[in-house]
């Protein structure tokens, strides 16, 4: 009656006579839509009833999959990238209709707007990981983010301190309140969160083979401190301590005991090696 061509496909499911119709101005356009629908049905892809847009799926993915499987700071980063960069540009696009050109336009716009290439790469990574789940659940036929190349990233050579520079730094910092922290960081190569999450129970300073055990790390997410497991399984490790490091940590323990006495009831006893003057995390 409206002068357009129409094709109808039957859908699998418990309800009888579930169908989806396709319309077009010519027979060929509708035939193309029908061919694609038949192919999608053969692959088990959703053909009807899925009006979910990118924002709705990203929200579901973050809250029900990411939040419970990654470290708090990782979730915070993913949520921020999605909310600030992905959703404003692509949120209203239907998930099934998202294509590589739209993702490419998003990345190009972010680069043009002044975002660092590394940040733009992170945006692509978050979207790509979300769409991987959409593919597993047959919500999309392809991962449009994976089909787009990330922006080129300039590699900068890290220039660590030379042994002479390190010794000069430690000599200047040895009388500082946290001088022992710098000794541990420079001598043992621990991550910042690992050093700040170090507890006295993780240290063996008095045995025949003094050592330090990396069992946790400190993170700050949403303005709150959290103790988390080491970043990887290999990060949970035992590190032998030299005599100079043992001497430094022993002196630091005495310094902290004096601080604890001075703080009195206000001392926050978390058992941390490196703390604020009241025992709270740094």
């Amino acid at each position: 009656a409206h002068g357009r061509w129409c094709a109808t496909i039957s859908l699998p499911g418990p309800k009888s006579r579930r169908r989806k119709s396709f319309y077009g101005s010519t027979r060929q356009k509708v035939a193309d839509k029908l061919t694609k629908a038949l192919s999608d049905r053969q692959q088990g892809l959703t053909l009807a009833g899925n009006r979910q847009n990118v924002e709705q799926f990203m929200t579901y993915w973050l809250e029900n999959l990411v939040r419970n499987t990654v470290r708090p700071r990782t979730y915070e980063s993913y949520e921020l990238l999605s909310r600030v960069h992905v959703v404003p540009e692509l949120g209203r696009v239907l998930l099934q209709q998202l294509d590589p050109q739209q993702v490419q336009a998003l990345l190009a716009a972010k680069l043009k707007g002044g975002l660092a290439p590394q940040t733009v790469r992170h945006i692509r990574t978050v979207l790509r990981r979300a769409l991987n789940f959409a593919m597993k659940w047959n919500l999309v036929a392809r991962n449009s983010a994976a089909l787009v190349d990330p922006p080129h990233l300039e590699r900068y050579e890290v220039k660590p301190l030379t042994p002479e520079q390190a010794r000069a730094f430690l000599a200047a910092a040895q009388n500082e309140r946290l001088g022992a922290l710098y000794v541990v960081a420079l001598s043992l190569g621990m991550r910042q969160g690992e050093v700040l999450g170090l507890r006295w129970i993780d240290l063996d300073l008095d045995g025949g083979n003094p050592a330090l055990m990396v069992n946790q790390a400190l993170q700050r997410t949403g303005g709150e401190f959290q103790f988390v497991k080491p970043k990887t399984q290999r990060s949970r490790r035992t590190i032998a301590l030299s005599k100079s490091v043992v001497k430094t940590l022993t002196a630091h323990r005495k310094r902290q005991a004096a601080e604890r006495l001075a703080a009195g009831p206000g001392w926050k006893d978390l058992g941390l090696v490196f703390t604020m003057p009241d025992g709270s995390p740094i």
Side-chain angles (χ1 to χ4, degrees), residues 35-54:
T35 299
K36 182 181 184 303
L38 290 170
S39 175
D40 288 347
R41 187 182 66 175
Q42 183 68 25
Q43 298 177 52
L45 300 180
T46 303
L47 298 179
N50 181 24
R51 303 296 295 174
Q52 186 173 203
N53 61 28
V54 172

Side-chain angles (χ1 to χ4, degrees), residues 121-187:
R121 291 173 73 98
H122 289 327
I123 294 172
R124 174 184 174 272
T125 295
V126 170
L127 187 56
R128 176 175 56 81
R129 291 182 177 179
L131 293 177
N132 276 340
F133 278 94
M135 285 185 63
K136 288 181 181 179
W137 295 339
N138 289 331
L139 298 176
V140 296
R142 60 182 179 179
N143 187 327
S144 295
L147 299 175
V148 174
D149 293 331
H152 177 69
L153 192 63
E154 293 288 343
R155 297 293 180 181
Y156 296 96
E157 182 182 358
V158 175
K159 296 181 179 179
L161 297 179
T162 65
E164 292 74 18
Q165 291 171 329
R167 282 192 286 267
F169 173 78
L170 293 179
Q174 63 180 344
N175 294 323
E176 293 290 324
R177 177 179 172 272
L178 294 175
L181 185 153
Y182 307 132
V183 171
V184 169
L186 274 172
S187 302

Side-chain angles (χ1 to χ4, degrees), residues 193-253:
E194 295 172 343
V195 175
L196 298 180
L198 187 63
R199 300 166 296 179
W200 288 111
I201 61 173
D202 300 322
L203 294 174
D204 180 9
L205 302 179
D206 305 317
N209 298 302
L212 176 156
M213 290 162 284
V214 180
N215 291 319
Q216 67 173 20
L218 177 69
Q219 283 190 351
R220 183 171 62 183
T221 56
E224 297 182 356
F225 289 109
Q226 295 186 22
F227 294 102
V228 298
K229 295 179 180 179
K231 191 171 184 179
T232 66
Q233 188 62 35
R234 293 182 62 185
S235 297
R236 189 185 294 272
R237 61 202 186 278
T238 299
I239 305 174
L241 302 179
S242 66
K243 291 182 180 180
S244 61
V245 174
V246 171
K247 181 179 178 180
T248 299
L249 286 171
T250 301
H252 177 73
R253 184 164 55 184

Side-chain angles (χ1 to χ4, degrees), residues 4-77:
R4 293 190 296 165
W5 287 84
C6 173
T8 301
I9 185 173
S10 299
L11 303 176
K15 295 182 180 181
S16 60
R17 295 197 302 178
R18 290 183 65 222
R19 296 180 179 180
K20 181 174 178 60
S21 297
F22 307 91
Y23 298 92
S25 57
T26 67
R27 177 180 182 130
Q28 185 59 50
K29 289 182 179 179
V30 176
D32 292 342
K33 292 179 181 180
L34 179 61
T35 299
K36 182 181 184 303
L38 290 170
S39 175
D40 288 347
R41 187 182 66 175
Q42 183 68 25
Q43 298 177 52
L45 300 180
T46 303
L47 298 179
N50 181 24
R51 303 296 295 174
Q52 186 173 203
N53 61 28
V54 172
E55 179 179 7
Q56 291 168 332
F57 179 76
M58 293 297 292
T59 299
Y60 180 88
W61 174 70
L62 286 166
E63 292 303 314
N64 295 279
L65 293 167
V66 177
R67 183 186 287 274
N68 300 322
T69 57
V70 302
R71 293 155 70 99
R73 183 174 292 181
T74 301
Y75 167 79
E76 191 176 63
S77 172

